[in-house]
Amino acid sequence: MTRSFEPDATDRAILRLIQRDAALSLAEIAKEVGLTPTPCWKRIRKMEQDGVITERVVILDPEKVGLGVSVFVAIETGDHSAAWIETFASTVAKMPEIVECWRLGGDVDYLLRVVVSDMTAFDGFYRRLTAQVPSLRKVTSRFAMERVKSTTALPI
Amino acid sequence: MTRSFEPDATDRAILRLIQRDAALSLAEIAKEVGLTPTPCWKRIRKMEQDGVITERVVILDPEKVGLGVSVFVAIETGDHSAAWIETFASTVAKMPEIVECWRLGGDVDYLLRVVVSDMTAFDGFYRRLTAQVPSLRKVTSRFAMERVKSTTALPI
DNA sequence: ATCGATAGTAGGAAAATCTTTTGCTTGCAA
DNA sequence: TTGCAAGCAAAAGATTTTCCTACTATCGAT
């Protein structure tokens, strides 16, 4: 099986740039990578079509919009059935405070990052979560004191 | 102290839209929120100047660029001095595999998310990390089996 | 093997189209 | 009546399309 996307050095250079600043104009991107706007645009469009680039978004300052509290919630479940997993996944999808949810290997089954305005809001979230999801064996919440680093740019 | 940014319902509607799709044209955004392009553009520019919108980026599919492995690394340190914290923070900043680093309250001091291509690459990362950062009392690595949810959109 | 024809890939120039930005005007509310 | 916020229209700028060229690899006939 051959991959439909085989990025060359130029593709990766483009990705490195627009992962950090998608507001760059084609002219600027092209200049950086040593091309003219047209082939550069064609490469970007291809990477969008191939699903390499999945979205274009703006990133907000959580503090500035009053959502400065991140909480990591580690979950161990007592029920590993398909039905439980489905309930859990659909609950996670529906709760916008949950910005990340990972299934892990090892002692912890799931790790969530939850974004809220304050502790009171987190308590409300916690009650809703535990009310909706059955068979939670252990739920451990850890509050983030400081965001040391947070980037959407993958190390290409 | 008055906040320099007091978003109204329209500002929030704009943010909700462009948090999910920053490729929308002003005409489309304006139509959605019930304005014409100009005032809409002025609001967005103001939010950029106020630092509410911090960046515009593209998001990549980690699998498609060969970086499908996320590992959570929980760190307990034996040294809480300012000098240690500085060493640690600068190491974190320099290692592009670390896409998130949070300082937590409670038993775990720091939680990292590390993005790599495979286990071998993680092992290389792990060796470099532990070689660079002194006084690590406990380092626990948990591999992500599945990305259940991951969004950059804050619940505004 | 060598030649030429052919198809596929990547780049570039220019034109067309669409978006963003600016300047100016209007309406509304304090 | 003064100060915002919105709107309109035109200008400036960016994106997208079209068309063309250059290079490379493949294939068949000689």
Side-chain angles (χ1 to χ4, degrees), chain A residues 39-116:
Chain A
C40 204
W41 177 81
K42 285 177 184 166
R43 282 166 181 265
I44 291 171
R45 187 189 54 175
K46 179 162 194 309
M47 293 192 282
E48 282 167 344
Q49 287 170 345
D50 290 352
V52 176
I53 295 170
T54 57
E55 35 177 7
R56 292 175 172 267
V57 300
V58 301
I59 306 294
L60 310 185
D61 181 333
E63 308 277 352
K64 292 261 169 75
V65 294
L67 292 168
V69 177
S70 270
V71 188
F72 287 88
V73 181
I75 290 175
E76 292 172 45
T77 176
D79 182 349
H80 293 85
S81 69
W84 184 89
I85 291 174
E86 206 176 316
T87 303
F88 180 69
S90 103
T91 303
V92 166
K94 279 198 286 257
M95 299 183 89
E97 301 94 328
I98 302 173
V99 295
E100 296 185 63
C101 173
W102 301 82
R103 185 162 60 80
L104 303 183
D107 53 349
V108 174
D109 292 307
Y110 292 91
L111 181 62
L112 316 183
R113 182 160 67 90
V114 176
V115 169
V116 288

Side-chain angles (χ1 to χ4, degrees), chain B residues 15-148:
Chain B
L15 290 178
R16 272 194 297 274
L17 281 172
I18 63 180
Q19 267 198 123
R20 301 221 127 82
D21 186 0
L24 291 169
S25 71
L26 280 172
E28 290 167 311
I29 299 165
K31 195 178 158 209
E32 282 290 330
V33 303
L35 284 178
T36 52
T38 305
C40 202
W41 177 78
K42 285 177 183 163
R43 283 166 180 265
I44 292 171
R45 187 188 55 174
K46 178 161 194 309
M47 293 193 281
E48 282 168 344
Q49 287 170 346
D50 291 351
V52 176
I53 295 171
T54 57
E55 36 177 6
R56 290 173 175 268
V57 299
V58 302
I59 306 294
L60 309 185
D61 181 333
E63 308 276 353
K64 291 261 168 77
V65 294
L67 292 167
V69 177
S70 271
V71 188
F72 287 88
V73 181
I75 290 176
E76 293 172 44
T77 176
D79 181 349
H80 293 84
S81 69
W84 184 90
I85 291 174
E86 206 175 317
T87 303
F88 179 69
S90 103
T91 302
V92 166
K94 280 199 285 259
M95 298 183 90
E97 302 93 330
I98 302 173
V99 295
E100 296 185 62
C101 174
W102 301 83
R103 184 163 61 80
L104 302 183
D107 53 348
V108 174
D109 292 307
Y110 292 91
L111 181 64
L112 316 183
R113 182 161 67 91
V114 175
V115 169
V116 289
S117 56
D118 53 31
M119 281 234 259
T120 306
F122 180 72
D123 187 49
F125 164 83
Y126 185 89
R127 288 161 187 272
R128 270 180 290 128
L129 179 73
T130 50
Q132 295 246 346
V133 181
S135 309
L136 295 173
R137 185 211 298 291
K138 191 174 171 193
V139 181
T140 307
S141 301
R142 294 183 179 88
F143 282 72
M145 298 291 114
E146 182 190 0
R147 181 173 50 152
V148 180

